[in-house]
Amino acid sequence: MSIPKNLYPFLILFLACIGCKEEPKTTNPLDISELTISKIHNGYEQNDFTSIQLVQAYLNRIRLLDTVINSITAVNPKAIEIAQALDDEFLETGKLRPLHGIPILVKDNINTAGLPTTAGALALKDFIPQEDAFIIKKLVGAGAIIIAKTNMAEWAFSPMHTESSTFGTTRNPYNIAHVPAGSSGGTAASVAANFGTIGLGTDTGNSIRGPSSHCALVGFRTTLGLISRSAIVPLYLRNDVVGPMGRTVEDATKLLEVMAGYDPNDSITTYSKGKIPGNYTQYLRKDGLKNARIGVLRTLSDNDPHPEIKALFGQALSDLDTLGATVIDPITIPDFEALRQNQWCATFTEDLEDYLTEYVKNDTIKTIEDIIRIGSNSEFAKERVKRNAANSGRWEDSEIPCLDAYTDIRRVAYREAIEKVMDSLNLDAIVYPSWNHPPAKINLFSEEYKGDNNQVVSPHTGQPAFTVPMGYTSENLPAGFQFLGRMYDEPTLIRLSYSYEQGTKHRKVPKL
């Protein structure tokens, strides 16, 4: 069959367009402020923007604003290339993976292939892992883009501030004269400032929830055993947890959902088998506080609170009531003060040397003595490393073995006392302020370190604890509201924290 000559131009145009990609609708600069995973995926599906455009917009914002905050330690040079591959995949399949094209910020103690993992220390300033940590592999497999690494308190020692020998001091984006807490302050500051969609932190005693509360974020310290810690520079591995730090409960839940599960290289995750639901997002319920029973731990909340934090906490309790919860105020944990004592163990030397042997594999950096020899630019970190080098075992009573949250007699007794009260009162969760005082000034980080409630319960008992924004002081400094739950009861904490978040909407963008 011959084709009329007058149709040739149309045929050529048709053939040229077969398989061509429709240009995204976006013509103006992409507004990335407060973008969530759901909004991003909707944007991809509606062809409003591409993964490349999103990554480029975040990189532009980092270049523009991080000179003030100092939260980013390394930008992934392959981020655009990865985004292009994900765009091509979506064009071909029409399907989005759970975290498809989501730019994630990762704390500088989590192994990421091809990117520095320094833990803020001079000893690791040139260390670039050849392989991703287990959790990073899971995130990348779900479509995430590791856009950058974030600053941290050196070796994760400081809950007070975020200062490293490799990248200096990170500032709080809500008030740059103040700290973002530690040790995951770089992740907190960068997520709060919209340098990525969501981030990862680690928490030994405070380091997810403290920085999250200081930067108006949601922070999940999950049950010890739910998420792998392998290929992460440890502080005290018996306490260490890795978890999401995000602007919304929904985003944090989606990250948790991908990361949870057994890792043969982290034996504590064996306990999670059979305890993980098919999905966690099913518990994102706006009416999740209706008929909930919440206990108030005044032992923590009334421990010398700053008057503005006290007022915010009082309003939060009133909000729980308005949103349908029954608030039991106060609750009492028998022997609480005695049980909380003698919980910390100095396992840094052993844990770190194991990590150096397994991952760094450098004959000149094998022991804690090597770390001390190489030195530090931080007086705080120097003192902490030397103190840990001189000690091992339980700080207060070395006769009691230092074991994990499932076998240590001190830890088990502490948890059982709390859960017994929760069971007797039929409580869904216990609440208290994440900190009883506002963020300290950077130049007075030690003197003004007051009110850190994060260290007291969950790092020792192994229980999950989530922080959610509960408002701001008169100096525009954020405060956090914390929910403590039973072991592996993340579903309940997701339900409660999501309902509180949706009912109060405290999160706001810092003015940079």
Side-chain angles (χ1 to χ4, degrees):
M1 183 181 71
S2 61
I3 299 174
K5 290 183 179 180
N6 65 330
L7 293 181
Y8 279 7
F10 300 99
L11 177 62
I12 292 169
L13 183 63
F14 171 75
L15 292 172
C17 284
I18 290 177
C20 68
K21 182 176 181 180
E22 182 185 353
E23 287 299 312
K25 300 171 189 174
T26 299
T27 55
N28 298 319
L30 179 58
D31 181 7
I32 56 175
S33 179
E34 303 297 280
L35 278 180
T36 64
I37 294 170
S38 293
K39 287 178 181 177
I40 290 169
H41 280 177
N42 184 66
Y44 292 161
E45 289 170 339
Q46 299 300 316
N47 197 38
D48 291 334
F49 53 85
T50 65
S51 191
I52 285 181
Q53 289 177 313
L54 179 64
V55 168
Q56 190 61 63
Y58 279 128
L59 293 176
N60 291 345
R61 187 170 173 86
I62 289 170
R63 279 193 289 269
L64 179 66
L65 297 175
D66 195 47
T67 52
V68 176
I69 300 171
N70 195 43
S71 62
I72 301 296
T73 62
V75 167
N76 187 352
K78 295 184 178 180
I80 294 291
E81 178 185 330
I82 295 166
Q84 178 67 72
L86 289 165
D87 284 340
D88 292 344
E89 177 187 317
F90 180 50
L91 180 65
E92 181 180 345
T93 67
K95 295 180 180 179
L96 294 172
R97 291 187 251 170
L99 297 174
H100 198 105
I102 302 300
I104 293 179
L105 297 148
V106 177
K107 187 176 180 180
D108 195 23
N109 60 349
I110 302 172
N111 282 14
T112 43
L115 290 173
T117 298
T118 77
L122 296 177
L124 296 180
K125 67 182 178 64
D126 298 320
F127 174 52
I128 299 177
Q130 296 181 351
E131 188 176 357
D132 285 331
F134 179 82
I135 55 164
I136 299 297
K137 289 178 183 177
K138 295 190 81 170
L139 294 170
V140 170
I145 301 169
I146 309 306
I147 190 170
K149 300 293 286 288
T150 60
N151 197 27
M152 59 179 284
E154 191 165 333
W155 298 118
F157 274 121
S158 180
M160 308 176 194
H161 68 322
T162 294
E163 177 192 28
S164 70
S165 287
T166 46
F167 291 95
T169 299
T170 298
R171 298 177 177 274
N172 191 315
Y174 287 90
N175 188 326
I176 61 172
H178 293 256
V179 300
S183 63
S184 309
T187 298
S190 58
V191 173
N194 288 277
F195 293 165
T197 309
I198 192 166
L200 284 183
T202 60
D203 189 315
T204 304
N206 162 83
S207 296
I208 287 172
R209 294 157 298 142
S212 293
S213 66
H214 275 31
C215 293
L217 298 179
V218 172
F220 285 6
R221 181 186 167 97
T222 53
T223 303
L224 257 170
L226 185 63
I227 297 176
S228 165
R229 296 91 40 85
S230 66
I232 298 174
V233 183
L235 178 50
Y236 303 136
L237 191 59
R238 67 194 295 274
N239 290 64
D240 292 348
V241 165
V242 61
M245 302 169 68
R247 292 186 293 274
T248 69
V249 173
E250 181 177 339
D251 280 0
T253 299
K254 288 180 176 180
L255 217 62
L256 163 63
E257 191 166 277
V258 169
M259 291 191 293
Y262 171 67
D263 172 10
N265 291 318
D266 185 0
S267 60
I268 203 170
T269 59
T270 304
Y271 292 100
S272 71
K273 290 182 177 180
K275 299 183 178 72
I276 300 174
N279 71 75
Y280 285 100
T281 53
Q282 64 182 301
Y283 303 105
L284 295 166
R285 290 174 34 198
K286 286 187 177 182
D287 66 348
L289 280 164
K290 189 175 182 181
N291 299 321
R293 291 177 59 81
I294 310 292
V296 182
L297 190 55
R298 290 286 176 187
T299 306
L300 296 184
S301 67
D302 289 1
N303 183 18
D304 184 33
H306 184 280
E308 290 191 76
I309 304 295
K310 182 177 181 179
L312 290 172
F313 183 63
Q315 182 58 54
L317 297 181
S318 178
D319 291 335
L320 293 181
D321 180 72
T322 300
L323 293 166
T326 298
V327 178
I328 295 86
D329 184 10
I331 63 164
T332 301
I333 312 293
D335 300 321
F336 183 83
E337 289 301 325
L339 287 166
R340 65 181 282 188
Q341 302 303 318
N342 199 16
Q343 293 286 352
W344 290 103
C345 291
T347 63
F348 177 69
T349 298
E350 177 185 352
D351 294 339
L352 179 62
E353 290 180 353
D354 285 347
Y355 173 88
L356 296 174
T357 299
E358 178 72 18
Y359 301 104
V360 179
K361 300 177 182 178
N362 183 329
D363 287 341
T364 65
I365 310 170
K366 297 175 68 175
T367 68
I368 197 163
E369 287 76 22
D370 292 329
I371 302 301
I372 293 170
R373 171 180 52 79
I374 292 166
S376 169
N377 295 331
S378 165
E379 292 303 318
F380 181 91
K382 278 183 188 177
E383 186 276 328
R384 289 298 174 99
V385 170
K386 289 179 180 178
R387 184 155 66 104
N388 275 269
N391 289 277
S392 62
R394 203 173 293 266
W395 287 103
E396 297 174 45
D397 185 354
S398 60
E399 297 302 312
I400 303 175
C402 290
L403 303 175
D404 64 38
Y406 299 86
T407 55
D408 188 302
I409 59 172
R410 293 288 303 168
R411 303 177 79 171
V412 171
Y414 193 11
R415 180 172 66 249
E416 287 180 345
I418 293 169
E419 291 190 340
K420 184 177 180 180
V421 171
M422 293 182 73
D423 292 344
S424 69
L425 297 173
N426 194 27
L427 298 180
D428 293 285
I430 294 171
V431 296
Y432 43 88
S434 297
W435 282 59
N436 285 348
H437 282 254
K441 296 181 188 69
I442 286 176
N443 61 345
L444 296 171
F445 73 86
S446 182
E447 298 91 324
E448 294 184 357
Y449 174 66
K450 299 176 183 177
D452 176 1
N453 290 324
N454 299 296
Q455 311 274 355
V456 180
V457 183
S458 60
H460 312 299
T461 65
Q463 293 168 263
F466 294 2
T467 187
V468 184
M470 74 170 182
Y472 305 81
T473 70
S474 55
E475 292 186 272
N476 196 40
L477 293 168
F481 187 60
Q482 193 153 157
F483 293 87
L484 175 76
R486 294 175 176 83
M487 297 288 277
Y488 294 100
D489 200 12
E490 278 76 10
T492 295
L493 294 193
I494 289 168
R495 172 170 57 84
L496 300 177
S497 58
Y498 181 73
S499 181
Y500 174 77
E501 172 199 56
Q502 295 299 303
T504 56
K505 299 283 188 180
H506 287 302
R507 165 74 194 169
K508 66 181 181 182
V509 188
K511 295 177 181 179
L512 292 167

